[in-house]
Structures are given as C-alpha cells and as structure tokens.
Amino acid sequence: MKELGLRLQSILFEPDVVAHLGADLFAVLLPKLAKAEDIHLVIEKIQKLLLSPFSIDGLPIAVEASIGVALYPGHARTSEELLRRADIAMHAAKESGSGHALYDPTLDKHHPQRLALMAELRQAIEQNHLLLHYQPKINIRDKKTVGAEALVRWNHPQQGMIPPDEFIGPAERTGLIHPMTYWLLRTAIQQCREWRQAGLDVVVSANLSARNLLDPKLPGTVVELLRDGEVAPEFIQFEITESAIMTDPAHAQKMMFTLRDIGIRFSIDDFGIGYSSLSCLQKLPVSQIKIDKSFVIHMTQNKGAAMIVRSTIDLAHNLGIDVVAEGVETEQTLNQLEEMNCDAAQGYYFSKPLPVNAFSLWLQESLWGLKKSGENSQKI
Ligand code: G
Ligand code: G
Ligand code: MN
C-alpha cells in the first residue's frame, strides 16, 4: 500500500491530492482537470503504473485496481456526496470487472434506498428489529444435532423481512457491521445461555464478515459478552468465509489467533469457492470447514462435485480439521456424505433456519434434535 501511494503521487501534480482512505482504498482528487474527458488520460496513467509488479520480500506481486470516478459539480455538490458517488462507481467497476467506471445516476437505482436503509439499520439495531434464525448442524454419526448457526434477519416495519444479502454488504461499507455484529454476538450468547439453562447443549455459530476481522475491539468485546452471558467459549464458534480471510490475510491470521487464545473455535464458511490455499488453511487456527452448498447440492448427480466433496473431506481430515456439508437437501446426499466420512451436515433436509421458539421446539421434538442424556431410544 505504501508503494502504491508513492507511485500514485509520482504521476500526479500540485494541487492534486492522493489520500489513503483505509485498508486497500485510495482516493485521488483532481481539482484542475480541464475537461471531463481528460479523466481517461489519468485512468490510463494509473492503470499503467500498476503494470510493473510490486515486490514484497523479493517476491513480485501483481496488483489490480478498480477505479470509480465522480465529477464535481455534475455528480455531486458536496465532498461527502462526491466520495459516496465515487464509491458507488468503484463498486460498479469491481462488479463489471471493467477496471473503471464513471458514476451514473442509474447506478444509484441498483442500490435502492441504500442510504435510507442504512439509517434505518442503525435504528433497527437499537430498537431490536433484528432477529436471529437458527439452523441445526447434525452429527452424521449419531444423526443428532450438535450445534446451530445463527442467521440474522431484519424485520422491517414497512418492507417486511429483509434478507441478510441485502443489508450486510452495505453495512460493511458504512461501518454499521460493527454494532450489528455486537448485537448478534450478545443475542446469540444470551440464547446459548438460555438453552443451556433449559438443559439443551447447543454450540452456536455466528458469521463474521471481513470488516469484523479488522476490528481491534472485537476480542475485548467477545470476552466481555461471554463473561456477562456466563457462557464458556467452547459453546461459541465463528464462521468466516475464505474471501473474508483473504481480504487481509495477515490481519485475519492475527485476529484469529487472538480469538483462538480466548477459546473460540473457527469454521471456514463456503469452503471451495474462494481462493484460500491449503498452505494458508494450515497456518490458521481452524477446527472446521463447511463445504460450500454449490458442491453438496449437486453431488448426487454430478461426479465432479462428488469428487470435490470427497477430496475435501479427506484433505481436511488429514489436517485434523472437521468437515460440515452445507446445503444437504436429500436423504441420498446425507447417505453419500456418511459413506465419505463427513462429520456433520446442515441443510433443508433437516430444517430450514427457524425463529428461536420454533427452533427450541424442534431441538426437543425432532428425530434429528438433541441427544437425550441417558436415553437411547428417541421418539419419532
Ligand atoms: O439464510 P441466509 O439467507 O441467512 O444467509 C445469507 C448469507 O448471509 C449467508 O452467506 C450468511 O453467511 C450471511 N449472514 C447471515 N447472518 C449473518 C450475520 O449475522 N453476519 C454476517 N456477517 N453474515 C451473515
Ligand atoms: O453462507 P452461509 O453458510 O452462512 O449461509 C447459509 C445460507 O444457506 C442461508 O442463506 C441458508 O438459508 C442457506 N441454506 C441453508 N441450508 C440450505 C439448503 O439445504 N439448501 C439451500 N439451497 N440453501 C440452504
Ligand atoms: Mn455461515
């Protein structure tokens, strides 16, 4: 990043400004651009300076950038607005893979009421309009539930249930992911405690996003919440995707070891669709991987998918890591996973994610529910 900052400075002139806005985010201000079309010359210059590789400890590293452009006064009249619209254009460039994009008001339409939605999310967190649904993870050997994944839902007063895919991305970009994650952890830990008090031992998994791994306050907050909730760290597990780790691997690794030392265990979510190398997995304190549902859903029909699932299981086991298959929708898939020695399964075949009351009931009444101590016959 330092080298990139220097290179950017080297091609710009007074009174241009290069700013480092965060992790891998830079902003360039060009107050003296003569005409709007000239922006393409600057984009070309920036792209050219990325062509020669960067060198870290003697290793050449290729760097790619997505550039978003917003123009004053055509696109925005305040600095905040200008930055926000450049950000929207940058995301459009990233999504299209074109490398650069000029802000276009129709792009705002792709993010319907995004800003208003984020203001409302802040309120929703404070006013408890968020809730958690739970989906069981079943041990394949004894076919009983061992844990539950907590999945956030937003019950919006006007719009109804808003799925997480629609607000987690924007929450990450606006920093609201932090209060949201704290809310999620507090609620999940509290729930775990209530279940344990009712004699239901469930390990609760919570999803963390890339931004959470960069949050220096996270470990302290986790310790506090566990203490307040009187829940042992063994009962909480964090799920992180490969891509969240790869956003900033050095930081992620440090954070994961800090949390591991607190006693938290990690599961790698959506495994197989990201870019994490096996050598990377070996360096992280990971106790479980979750094979992505795109492989699991097709494994009974598709030999390739089945082969990937089988190899992933063997490989994880060789590294001493447990395997959960997500997206188990049929009995046939479950049987095939059992034959492959997979440890646990999650999916619609057992249960959809359920609201807490329905899930508590399911835990006690389902054939797949919790193992009852001292009982070896289970009612059907
Ligand atoms: O059921 P489902 O639609 O819940 O989830 C969609 C996606 O949203 C999943 O990939 C899941 O990992 C993610 N997700 C659900 N809840 C949370 C959460 O509390 N935090 C984060 N970071 N992601 C979540
Ligand atoms: O990425 P993550 O594993 O956190 O997300 C869980 C997501 O997977 C949720 O959106 C949940 O609703 C969905 N899901 C859970 N089980 C199944 C399943 O059996 N089939 C499909 N298609 N999706 C599932
Ligand atoms: Mn998950």
Side-chain angles (χ1 to χ4, degrees):
M1 288 305 121
K2 282 182 192 159
E3 169 72 20
L4 183 53
L6 288 174
R7 287 196 196 181
L8 280 169
Q9 272 177 336
S10 74
I11 55 159
L12 300 170
F13 309 99
E14 279 289 320
D16 301 343
V17 178
V18 179
H20 183 210
L21 298 185
D24 59 351
L25 190 62
F26 286 87
V28 175
L29 184 68
L30 307 165
K32 283 249 168 99
L33 204 63
K35 40 188 201 314
E37 296 81 61
D38 290 352
I39 191 65
H40 289 290
L41 302 174
V42 182
I43 291 174
E44 258 171 49
K45 272 208 289 189
I46 293 177
Q47 285 173 333
K48 227 180 242 158
L49 67 81
L50 292 172
L51 286 180
S52 57
F54 291 72
S55 166
I56 297 179
D57 289 341
L59 282 179
I61 308 282
V63 172
E64 286 176 17
S66 299
I67 303 172
V69 179
L71 300 169
Y72 171 92
H75 294 151
R77 304 201 64 96
T78 65
S79 50
E80 290 82 16
E81 186 78 354
L82 196 61
L83 268 174
R84 199 176 66 76
R85 301 215 141 144
D87 186 57
I88 289 173
M90 191 262 293
H91 278 101
K94 225 190 249 296
E95 272 158 38
S96 70
S98 62
H100 64 273
L102 187 64
Y103 173 77
D104 174 338
T106 61
L107 288 176
D108 264 338
K109 297 205 185 81
H110 289 300
H111 307 259
Q113 311 114 6
R114 195 169 94 185
L115 275 188
L117 201 65
M118 285 302 103
E120 287 179 328
L121 179 60
R122 189 182 295 278
Q123 283 188 334
I125 298 167
E126 287 160 7
Q127 298 170 358
N128 253 323
H129 288 160
L130 297 186
L131 57 150
L132 292 180
H133 281 187
Y134 295 89
Q135 190 181 33
K137 287 187 187 176
I138 280 92
N139 178 331
I140 293 183
R141 272 163 221 112
D142 64 8
K143 310 284 191 306
K144 295 291 175 195
T145 296
V146 283
E149 177 173 8
L151 294 154
V152 73
R153 300 285 181 267
W154 179 0
N155 193 2
H156 189 282
Q158 283 87 42
Q159 299 179 38
M161 283 290 180
I162 305 180
D165 292 337
E166 279 176 34
F167 62 88
I168 288 183
E172 282 207 71
R173 292 194 277 279
T174 52
L176 273 178
I177 192 75
H178 300 302
M180 196 202 88
T181 302
Y182 297 155
W183 171 87
L184 153 86
L185 293 175
R186 192 176 321 112
T187 310
I189 287 171
Q190 202 58 43
Q191 190 55 57
C192 183
R193 172 200 177 136
E194 281 177 33
W195 279 327
R196 293 200 11 97
Q197 282 171 343
L200 308 170
D201 279 359
V202 187
V203 173
V204 178
S205 306
N207 292 283
L208 292 188
S209 68
R211 281 288 183 97
N212 294 129
L213 292 174
L214 302 176
D215 173 11
K217 294 208 212 87
L218 184 66
T221 308
V222 170
V223 168
E224 225 171 87
L225 290 171
L226 288 171
R227 198 184 47 218
D228 292 352
E230 297 176 333
V231 167
E234 302 85 77
F235 283 92
I236 301 297
Q237 189 182 43
F238 287 159
E239 297 192 5
I240 320 176
T241 61
E242 296 170 81
S243 59
I245 293 170
M246 297 317 282
T247 307
D248 187 342
H251 252 100
Q253 189 187 28
K254 234 165 112 189
M255 176 62 89
M256 288 173 74
F257 273 102
T258 307
L259 290 165
R260 197 274 314 260
D261 291 342
I262 294 168
I264 300 281
R265 280 171 302 168
F266 286 96
S267 182
I268 304 297
D269 212 349
D270 305 344
F271 189 82
I273 57 169
Y275 301 97
S276 65
S277 65
L278 302 172
S279 65
C280 171
L281 199 59
Q282 215 190 357
K283 285 189 221 135
L284 296 170
V286 169
S287 57
Q288 185 181 77
I289 58 168
K290 293 179 80 174
I291 304 181
D292 190 67
K293 51 181 172 280
S294 59
F295 304 111
V296 177
I297 286 172
H298 299 114
M299 65 184 275
T300 52
Q301 274 107 41
N302 180 318
K303 281 218 171 78
M307 207 132 72
I308 289 172
V309 173
R310 185 188 293 278
S311 317
T312 307
I313 293 170
D314 290 345
L315 180 117
H317 284 168
N318 286 334
L319 291 170
I321 295 171
D322 275 358
V323 183
V324 182
E326 62 173 29
V328 175
E329 297 183 348
T330 65
E331 184 178 11
Q332 204 190 347
T333 307
L334 177 63
N335 292 339
Q336 202 169 343
L337 286 165
E338 181 167 23
E339 182 263 314
M340 291 176 178
N341 244 336
C342 188
D343 302 285
Q346 178 179 350
Y348 296 162
Y349 178 58
F350 308 103
S351 169
K352 286 193 305 195
L354 295 173
V356 62
N357 289 335
F359 184 74
S360 299
L361 206 64
W362 183 95
L363 271 181
Q364 297 170 78
E365 304 205 327
S366 165
L367 179 61
W368 315 104
L370 283 173
K371 195 157 148 179
K372 300 195 174 142
S373 50
E375 245 183 82
N376 48 16
S377 65
Q378 185 79 28
K379 71 168 184 272
I380 298 182

